[in-house]
Amino acid sequence: MYRATTVVNFGHGDLVMCGAFVVYLLVVMVGLPFLASVVLAVALLFLLGLVIELGLIERIKAGPHIGFALMCIAFGYVLRGIARAVWGREVLPMPSVFNFPPIFFGELVITADALIIFAAVGILLAAFFVLFYRSSAGRVMQALCQSERGAALVGINVRAFHGVMWGVGAALGAVGGVLLAPITLLHPGLGASFLIKGFAAMTLGGFGSFGGAVLGGLLLGLAEQLVGGYVSTKLIDITAYLVIILVLALRPNGLFGRAIAEKV
Amino acid sequence: MEVAFERGQTDATAQTLRIKQANPDFVIACLYEAETAIFLKDAKKFGLNVPVMGTAGTDLENTLKRVGDLDTVSNYYVPHMYADNLDGPRLKPYADILKKYYPSESLTAFSLISMGSAMAVVEALKRTGREPTREKLIAELDRTKDFDTHVLAGHISWSPSDRDGVKDVAVAGFVKGKPTVLKAWGKPL
């Protein structure tokens, strides 16, 4: 979504939480099958993203960039507040996609959740790579990222594309929530706890790079576990912040990010 | 060994693996509710099969609800402040009082904690007679010895130099899938 809209969504973590709660609501409280609930949640979050863009972000488009950040933070807090009002601060068990016991290969432990996350990320990554680099829609998105005015001049409906990309971003948040919540348990602060890790992964991989985001996430996860395992478990929480500081200081564009030259 | 699991962490992999590598006989998990549930899930995932003693605030009934399956909490124990299970017959009169005045409150490990102290205070007030004064009440409270509240696992004893009235606590764990107050490992009270 950042590639298409150049807006860093500080409320994305709460969209992740929101998607997970929608699935919980549909599965546990309404009694719908898991897969149908996930499809419904993804569709609902797509609509929510669309509404946020058209109703909130679009209105402040002409204002300073800080307005986007504050708006994203604000709607994130609103979503978190709604979840707290309904479910309180309690942690809830989220049903898993598949529930089979972990497989042990010596010291290596492979869980169903890990396999599903790995597969889902692989599929989504491939799909978005094709979409961005091999389709005309992807070229339009890249054109929008480079110059909205230029894209509008050649007849691209900028507003519609932004709306769709916010919808897609929110829908992907729902997918993330569904995959994460069985591991972390479900609570209103779920997404916020992952937001900073997401930014650290993006900073490390390079903002705007698909492969970079995934590799950044893997490297950050590894760094956290290695620091926790070999140095001190007290340092796990600050690893993401250290990564952000180090990368910005030493390699501001991350591993795969590109410096963008702007004409002034 | 001691490992830290910070508030709000969503993964206990490093902690669990470090603990497992130390091959412990027993784990004391001083954690809040959410972190307890995450640690227990990861302990099961990585095959850490040792008894885990949690905190009194992470009662068994609600911990089971949070993790969602009995197998994950089968080796989990908590200090238990009461003389019976939360839904046991000895606590039922007190749980009913709570329900009468706070019908929407769910029963947790903290729900009845003040009732025992309240009973000891009522007993002391009765002993002060028809004209209670501050001094008389303090004196009677300090005479409270080995008072059985029927709510708390331990008896209350106060003195002018010791106001830490309850020194004993029970332990609760799962027996045949049900939260049970224990007198020894695996043996119900």
Side-chain angles (χ1 to χ4, degrees), chain B residues 115-138:
Chain B
M115 283 197 183
S117 306
M119 278 173 214
V121 172
V122 168
E123 274 303 305
L125 273 170
K126 280 182 188 168
R127 290 199 302 268
T128 57
R130 288 184 172 274
E131 291 180 13
T133 62
R134 182 175 182 275
E135 289 71 26
K136 274 192 203 173
L137 178 59
I138 292 171

Side-chain angles (χ1 to χ4, degrees), chain B residues 14-37:
Chain B
Q15 290 86 346
T16 309
L17 292 178
R18 281 185 81 153
I19 293 169
K20 193 180 176 191
Q21 205 167 34
N23 196 23
D25 298 313
F26 201 87
V27 173
I28 297 175
C30 299
L31 301 169
Y32 285 102
E33 296 94 330
E35 290 76 18
T36 297

Side-chain angles (χ1 to χ4, degrees), chain B residues 141-179:
Chain B
L141 285 171
D142 285 341
R143 273 188 211 106
T144 302
K145 294 283 172 290
D146 209 25
F147 178 70
D148 185 359
T149 63
H150 301 290
V151 178
L152 300 175
H155 293 182
I156 293 180
S157 295
W158 283 310
S159 74
S161 59
D162 186 5
R163 265 66 187 262
D164 182 11
V166 181
K167 299 278 195 293
D168 303 315
V169 70
V171 167
F174 284 93
V175 175
K176 292 177 185 164
K178 197 177 174 334

Side-chain angles (χ1 to χ4, degrees), chain A residues 90-113:
Chain A
E90 183 56 88
V91 287
L92 303 161
M94 178 81 172
S96 287
V97 185
F98 298 108
N99 201 3
F100 58 81
I103 305 159
F104 290 85
F105 290 107
E107 294 290 306
L108 184 68
V109 182
I110 298 173
T111 63
D113 290 322

Side-chain angles (χ1 to χ4, degrees), chain A residues 90-91 93 111 185 225 228 233, chain B residues 4 11 14 18 37 45 65-66:
Chain A
E90 183 56 88
V91 287
T111 63
L185 301 174
Q225 299 307 330
T233 49
Chain B
D11 173 57
R18 281 185 81 153
K45 182 164 88 181
K65 277 185 208 162
R66 287 178 199 115

